[in-house]
């Protein structure tokens, strides 16, 4: 059996010759020697069905797949756009035929009735009143039953939907289960049958059908602006702004293209929406031709958020925020969300994780709240005394920075805001000395850059080093600041790093570290340059 | 001898540009609060004051935005970008926390040469990193576009654009476009040009920066001092130009002139505001 080849599908000519799906290939060849066969490719069929579904998006946003060869379109409330049900059917048929598909189409009050009519019935448009009459003569298979259920019904003499519907329900349910009754009820429209649309349902849809297809991108942009203007009215009525918008362009040749934008804050100003879409449209225009013309433009809002009418703001702060959000949207649309970022404090004392640049449009402007790690927190506390009063919540488990070398102790309070409170309580006078220069670099390489360095003593700072083919002689150095891996997070524990701030003979300042504790973790320590100071 | 007609010419240009003679050096609009700390330009009577750190103090006042125009900040090598970044950060910090958001555009070359801006480091420098919007541009042209877009937004404290090397797109026309928009908007544009050439630019102000080694430590330790810079102001329309070495005080971002000859008492000067009198005593090195 496993090796037996059978027919998966047949075309109209083959059907006329007496072939049908399920027939063995050898048998079929015996019946029709000139048979042309192609290997069955279910994936390609599924992809084709999906493409057809996309093309049908032009009729309704609610298109559901009915594999392997069917589609459901919920056209409730859409038919008037095509001059009624007949107009919609004619348009759909013409397009499918134009694309080379043989299709059977039916419109009925319920999905199950439409399915039955399309596959077994004759009428193509059923009104509510005509459903019962139309279903009656159809075979029971029209109810989308499992083949064994249909066979069992036939063996009982119940061959048509009508004869089945006339039976008392209780014995039917006892014999065939509740599913059979549910299918019957759905076909007759007694029970709602939800279809599962392949795309999320947009919250708002604005579309423009064009009797004459358009061929120019600037005309597309002009129509987009008009759609955005009508969208504004609807959004205003809801007191909302859009956060995610999808623009879909339906080409006359059946192709569908589109693009989408996500905004930092809710928007409804048509000018702003058009501005954010503009670079996206440019990108589309660069890779897409619209030779066949575009005959339907649709703008959909998938996410909205409350947006109150802008109120007069004395200091203009809210306005500034909105302006900045607009800039973020425009920049992100053209450069990509990853290229427009904001710095966010990370909960780690490993330098590369202590500050991250995250896409700006995913976050609103917040406050920089560094964890109370060593180094920079102290410097900041000199500027914002509040951080002295309130060290970051929780503190750090296993504070793992040490400063073994000789610094005046008064400075230590500036290294850690947690310790600063202690020092002040003991009467130390850290205010007398000027704050040190920053202990964290202004710029950091995401990956530390390997350098060749020579240290005077194994544990000491580098004396000279070579970075990117240029030799530097160290004139001054401070350190080490020991930063150990965060062993409490588990997983692979990297070697300990000893960081040095060094200044070369020309006054350039770098942040170098030696990886691995000498003689304990490694015998050949490696040096890296991690950042650049002012 | 030749400086007399030159200063006359400068004064006439200043007059043509609608500036008062005395205010020729004060290019910043809100002179009120910052003027209290700085003294009137010495030698204002001659029309051309001499150059010292106070000129920079007036160009970049504390608690206010500098002039809305293009400020070229150039350094000779990519490896000096740290100094460039630090001085730009100091200028931003001097504007104060309420000056507004900062858009910082970096082109791919600079990001690759010197890494990205680092939040903890900025915080240590006195800038709330949350104020910054970082933009990474793939090309100099894209960076220019992003800067122009940012210039359409009001209420920004500053726009920083880092464009390394000497890309062809960054020509006189491009800088003039930027300058026009910056002046219309009133937003200062700090154009950071690591390994930048001395080519034509429409910038009103041009500073060439180099790192400055730390001065001697008062305790005699070989530790790092305050961030130091060697600055040459090569263009300052309507104001004096010259060179000065200075340090930036970390806590208030004050400019502290650095003596050319290290003296043991030099470190004490950091606790006092930079007075022109003091500047004369410590004999600023003035390059040509």
């Amino acid at each position: 059996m496993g090796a037996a080849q059978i027919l998966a599908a047949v075309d109209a000519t083959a059907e006329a010759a007496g072939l049908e799906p399920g027939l063995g290939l050898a048998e079929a060849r015996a019946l029709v020697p000139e048979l042309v066969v192609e290997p069955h490719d279910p994936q390609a069929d599924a992809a084709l069905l999906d493409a057809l579904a996309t093309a049908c998006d032009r009729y309704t946003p609610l298109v559901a797949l009915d594999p392997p060869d069917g589609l459901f379109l919920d056209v409730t409330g859409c038919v008037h756009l095509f001059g009624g049900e007949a107009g919609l059917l004619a348009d759909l048929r013409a397009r499918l035929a134009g694309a080379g598909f043989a299709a059977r189409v039916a419109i009925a009050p319920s999905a199950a009735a439409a399915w039955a009519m399309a596959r077994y019935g004759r009428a193509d448009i059923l009104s509510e009143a005509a459903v019962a009459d139309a279903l009656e003569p159809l075979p029971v298979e029209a109810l989308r039953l499992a083949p064994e259920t249909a066979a069992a019904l036939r063996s009982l003499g119940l061959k048509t939907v009508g004869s089945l519907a006339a039976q008392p329900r209780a014995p039917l349910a006892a014999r065939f289960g509740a599913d059979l009754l549910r299918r019957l009820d759905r076909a007759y429209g007694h029970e709602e049958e939800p279809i599962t649309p392949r795309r999320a349902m947009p919250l708002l849809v604005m579309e423009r059908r064009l009797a004459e297809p358009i061929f120019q991108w600037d005309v597309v942009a002009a129509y987009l602006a008009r759609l955005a203007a009508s969208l504004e009215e609807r959004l205003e009525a809801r007191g909302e702004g859009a956060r995610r918008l999808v623009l879909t362009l339906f080409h006359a040749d059946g192709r569908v293209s589109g693009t989408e934008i996500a905004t930092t804050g809710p928007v409804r100003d048509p000018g702003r929406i058009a501005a954010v879409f503009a670079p996206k449209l440019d990108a589309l225009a660069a890779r897409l031709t619209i030779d066949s013309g575009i005959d339907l433009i649709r703008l959909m809002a998938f996410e909205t958020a409350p947006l109150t009418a802008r109120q007069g703001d004395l200091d203009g702060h809210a306005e500034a925020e909105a302006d900045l959000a607009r800039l973020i949207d425009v920049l992100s649309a053209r450069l990509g969300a990853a290229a427009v970022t904001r710095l966010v404090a990370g909960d780690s004392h490993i330098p590369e994780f202590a500050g991250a640049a995250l896409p700006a449009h995913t976050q609103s402007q917040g406050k920089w709240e560094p964890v109370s790690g060593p180094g920079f927190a102290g410097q900041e506390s000199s500027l914002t005394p509040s951080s002295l009063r309130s060290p970051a919540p929780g503190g750090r488990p296993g504070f793992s920075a040490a400063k073994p070398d000789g610094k005046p102790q008064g400075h230590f309070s500036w290294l850690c805001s947690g310790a600063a409170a202690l020092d002040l309580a003991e009467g130390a006078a850290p205010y007398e000395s000027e704050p040190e220069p920053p202990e964290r670099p202004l710029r950091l390489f995401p990956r530390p850059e390997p350098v060749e360095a020579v240290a005077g003593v194994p544990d000491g700072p580098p004396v000279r080093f070579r970075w990117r083919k240029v030799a530097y002689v160290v004139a001054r150095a401070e350190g080490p600041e020991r930063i150990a891996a965060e062993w409490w997070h588990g997983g692979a524990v990297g070697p300990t790093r000893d960081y040095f701030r060094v200044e070369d003979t020309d006054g350039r300042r770098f942040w170098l570290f030696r990886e691995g504790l000498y003689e304990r973790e490694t015998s050949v320590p490696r040096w890296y340059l991690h950042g650049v100071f002012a | 001898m030749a400086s007399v007609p030159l200063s006359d010419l400068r004064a006439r240009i200043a007059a043509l540009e609608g500036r008062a003679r005395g205010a020729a050096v004060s290019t910043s609009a809100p002179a009120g609060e910052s003027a209290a700390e700085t003294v009137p330009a010495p030698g204002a009577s001659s029309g051309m004051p001499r150059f010292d750190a106070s000129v920079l103090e007036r160009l970049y006042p504390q608690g206010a935005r500098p002039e809305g125009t293009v400020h070229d900040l150039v350094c000779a090598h990519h490896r000096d970008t740290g100094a460039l970044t630090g001085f730009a950060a100091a200028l931003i910090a001097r504007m104060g926390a309420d000056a507004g958001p900062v858009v910082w555009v970096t082109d791919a070359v600079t990001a690759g040469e010197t890494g990205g801006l680092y939040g903890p480091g900025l915080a240590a420098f006195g800038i709330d990193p949350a104020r910054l919007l970082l933009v990474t541009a793939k090309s100099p042209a894209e960076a220019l576009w992003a800067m122009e877009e940012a210039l359409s937004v009001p209420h920004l404290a500053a726009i920083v654009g880092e464009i390394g090397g000497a890309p062809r797109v960054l020509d006189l026309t491009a800088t003039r476009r930027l300058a026009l928009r910056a002046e219309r908007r009133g937003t200062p544009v700090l154009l950071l040009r690591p390994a930048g050439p001395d080519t034509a630019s429409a910038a009103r102000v041009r500073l060439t920066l180099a790192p400055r080694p730390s001065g001697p430590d008062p305790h005699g330790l070989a530790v790092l001092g305050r961030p130091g810079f060697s600055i040459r102001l090569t263009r300052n329309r309507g104001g004096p130009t010259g060179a000065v070495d200075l340090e930036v005080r970390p806590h208030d971002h004050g400019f502290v002139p650095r003596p050319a000859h290290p003296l043991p008492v030099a470190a004490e000067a950091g606790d006092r505001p930079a007075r022109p009198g003091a500047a004369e005593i410590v004999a600023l090195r003035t390059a040509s």
Side-chain angles (χ1 to χ4, degrees):
Chain A
M1 280 298 279
Q5 291 185 300
I6 58 168
L7 300 186
V10 295
D11 70 0
T13 319
E15 201 170 358
L19 302 185
E20 57 181 27
L23 201 65
L25 179 61
E27 209 176 333
R29 283 236 163 86
L31 283 168
V32 185
E34 63 274 26
L35 185 66
V36 179
V37 292
E38 292 285 342
H40 181 211
D41 185 348
Q43 280 182 336
D45 287 353
L48 183 65
L49 189 66
D50 203 59
L52 265 182
T54 303
C56 287
D57 280 342
R58 67 166 55 238
Y59 299 107
T60 165
L62 294 177
V63 178
L65 298 173
D66 179 29
D69 57 359
L71 290 177
F72 284 115
L73 277 64
D74 187 341
V75 294
T76 314
C78 302
V79 290
H80 67 277
L81 298 167
F82 301 88
E85 290 162 347
L88 192 149
L89 272 191
D91 188 88
L92 179 56
R93 282 202 173 111
R95 281 182 192 277
L96 287 170
F101 289 98
R104 295 170 60 99
V105 194
I107 295 182
S110 70
W115 192 92
M117 294 314 294
R119 288 169 193 264
Y120 294 93
R122 291 225 166 69
D124 52 10
I125 298 174
L126 278 190
S127 65
E128 198 109 21
V131 169
D133 285 347
L135 285 177
E136 199 165 315
L138 300 187
V140 286
E141 284 84 356
L143 293 175
R144 270 197 288 170
L145 301 175
E148 49 274 24
T149 312
L153 286 170
R154 282 184 175 277
S155 69
L156 292 173
L158 298 169
K159 293 194 173 76
T160 64
V161 176
S163 60
L164 189 60
Q167 296 300 314
R169 293 170 63 90
L172 272 186
R175 171 76 176 78
F176 295 101
D179 185 58
L180 178 64
L181 291 180
R182 187 179 309 127
R183 297 210 174 259
L184 210 52
D185 286 346
R186 284 179 171 178
Y188 281 91
H190 300 317
E191 186 188 313
E192 280 288 316
E193 179 178 9
I195 66 168
T196 313
R198 46 198 281 281
R199 296 191 199 282
M201 178 69 184
L203 298 168
L204 287 169
V205 184
M206 295 291 138
E207 62 182 33
R208 177 83 188 196
R209 277 160 211 286
L210 305 157
E212 288 292 318
I214 52 176
F215 300 92
Q216 273 136 9
W217 284 102
D218 46 348
V219 185
V220 173
Y223 276 113
L224 169 64
R226 287 164 70 167
L227 289 179
S230 15
L231 185 69
E232 184 192 23
E233 286 175 27
R234 299 275 298 275
L235 286 168
E236 202 152 19
R238 296 163 64 117
E240 291 180 330
R243 288 218 53 198
R244 195 159 69 84
L245 288 167
V246 176
L247 175 73
T248 312
L249 305 173
F250 294 86
H251 300 244
D253 61 4
R255 285 183 302 150
V256 179
S257 54
T259 183
E260 93 172 66
I261 59 164
T263 60
T264 314
V267 289
R268 66 174 176 239
D269 171 28
R272 183 170 164 201
I273 290 174
V276 179
F277 264 117
K280 296 271 187 180
L281 276 183
D282 288 348
L284 268 187
R287 60 165 212 267
L288 214 64
T289 56
I290 47 175
D291 299 340
S292 66
I294 285 170
D295 59 1
L296 170 62
I297 300 176
R298 177 182 294 157
L299 181 64
M300 292 174 282
F302 278 92
E303 272 175 44
T304 58
L307 175 68
T308 46
R310 186 181 293 177
Q311 291 172 347
D313 192 339
L314 282 178
D315 59 0
H317 183 73
E319 212 168 310
E321 272 296 299
D323 288 332
L324 199 62
R326 191 173 311 149
L327 177 69
I328 291 169
D329 294 342
V330 171
L331 294 176
S332 305
R334 162 128 171 219
L335 308 176
V340 186
T341 51
R342 272 190 163 141
L343 293 166
V344 177
D347 183 20
S348 171
H349 66 253
I350 303 292
E352 52 266 52
F353 303 129
L358 298 181
H361 85 84
T362 58
Q363 1 148 15
S364 55
Q365 187 173 11
K367 274 269 150 272
W368 176 267
E369 281 163 7
V371 294
S372 80
F376 66 87
Q379 194 67 37
E380 204 205 31
S381 65
S382 71
L383 299 152
T384 54
S386 63
S387 69
L388 268 179
R389 274 181 269 116
S390 55
R396 294 213 64 79
F399 185 73
S400 65
K403 211 170 162 71
D405 73 329
K407 265 292 179 103
Q409 271 302 305
H411 284 279
F412 188 75
S413 58
W414 294 104
L415 299 181
C416 164
S417 54
L422 190 71
D423 268 11
L424 289 171
E426 287 174 357
Y431 290 111
E432 278 178 10
S433 51
E434 189 178 312
E436 293 177 50
E439 304 221 332
R440 286 291 180 270
L442 279 172
R443 310 189 79 118
L444 192 83
F445 288 103
R447 291 165 181 275
E449 305 227 319
V451 294
E452 301 160 33
V454 178
V457 287
D459 276 343
V463 178
R464 57 180 178 271
F465 64 96
R466 180 178 287 272
W467 172 51
R468 293 187 175 182
K469 298 180 184 151
V470 178
Y472 297 86
V473 177
V474 175
R476 294 154 182 261
E478 284 188 53
E481 178 187 344
R482 184 157 292 171
I483 297 183
E486 295 179 322
W487 49 266
W488 56 88
H489 282 169
V493 177
T496 307
R497 298 172 178 179
D498 274 349
Y499 276 89
F500 293 89
R501 288 183 287 146
V502 306
E503 183 178 299
D504 79 347
T505 44
D506 290 335
R508 294 180 201 99
R509 294 175 179 191
F510 301 100
W511 209 31
L512 294 163
F513 70 85
R514 186 185 52 227
E515 190 181 70
L517 292 179
Y518 188 67
E519 282 185 338
R520 259 192 284 166
E521 289 178 359
T522 175
S523 58
V524 196
R526 281 187 301 191
W527 286 88
Y528 293 89
L529 191 148
H530 205 173
V532 181
F533 289 93
Chain B
M1 289 295 120
S3 70
V4 177
L6 187 64
S7 63
D8 276 358
L9 279 174
R10 282 199 169 129
R12 277 175 64 186
I13 291 169
L16 286 172
E17 285 179 344
R19 298 157 196 273
R21 271 169 69 103
V25 285
S26 180
T27 46
S28 60
E33 57 270 46
S34 60
E37 227 174 292
T38 55
V39 294
S45 55
S46 75
M48 203 62 247
R50 50 164 296 169
F51 183 80
D52 59 28
S54 67
V55 174
L56 285 177
E57 299 236 334
R58 278 188 295 272
L59 265 178
Y60 302 104
Q62 292 267 25
R65 281 180 216 172
E67 189 186 358
T69 184
V70 173
H71 303 246
D72 268 357
L73 271 62
V74 191
C75 69
H77 308 286
H78 278 293
R79 56 180 180 272
D80 294 335
T81 311
L84 212 53
T85 311
F87 196 71
L91 297 188
I92 289 165
R94 282 172 71 88
M95 295 180 208
D98 301 328
V102 175
V103 177
W104 193 303
V105 184
T106 306
D107 75 337
V109 174
T110 311
E113 289 283 348
T114 7
L117 285 182
Y118 187 47
L122 287 165
F125 220 85
I127 298 175
D128 179 3
R131 276 175 65 201
L132 262 62
L133 180 67
L134 306 186
V135 182
T136 312
K138 285 189 270 302
S139 65
E142 221 177 64
L144 280 172
W145 172 82
M147 289 167 73
E148 286 199 14
E149 285 295 324
L151 274 170
S152 67
V153 177
H155 313 298
L156 291 183
I159 295 163
V160 184
E162 295 183 291
I163 301 181
R168 198 168 292 165
V169 292
L170 191 55
D171 57 6
L172 185 60
T173 318
T175 51
R176 191 173 288 148
R177 270 174 71 98
L178 271 184
L180 280 174
R181 285 170 180 244
E183 277 154 31
R184 205 176 308 147
R185 178 61 73 193
T187 305
V189 171
L190 307 179
L191 193 57
L192 271 51
R193 307 201 53 186
D198 203 13
T199 49
S201 158
R204 291 178 79 97
V205 182
R206 190 180 181 94
L207 295 157
T208 305
L209 288 147
R212 177 82 172 78
S214 298
D217 181 75
H219 307 283
L221 300 167
V223 295
L224 276 66
R226 296 183 286 230
F229 306 92
S230 280
I231 300 171
R232 275 194 305 129
L233 183 63
T234 52
R235 188 178 300 175
N236 179 15
R237 228 153 86 194
T241 56
V244 65
D245 282 10
L246 53 78
E247 291 177 347
V248 173
R249 266 197 306 262
H251 62 282
D252 65 352
H253 308 98
F255 292 153
V256 185
R258 270 286 311 277
H261 307 291
L263 298 169
V265 294
E268 304 304 322
D271 297 322
R272 297 196 298 271
R275 278 179 287 116
E280 276 168 20
I281 291 167
V282 296
L284 290 178
R285 189 177 69 180
T286 48
S288 53

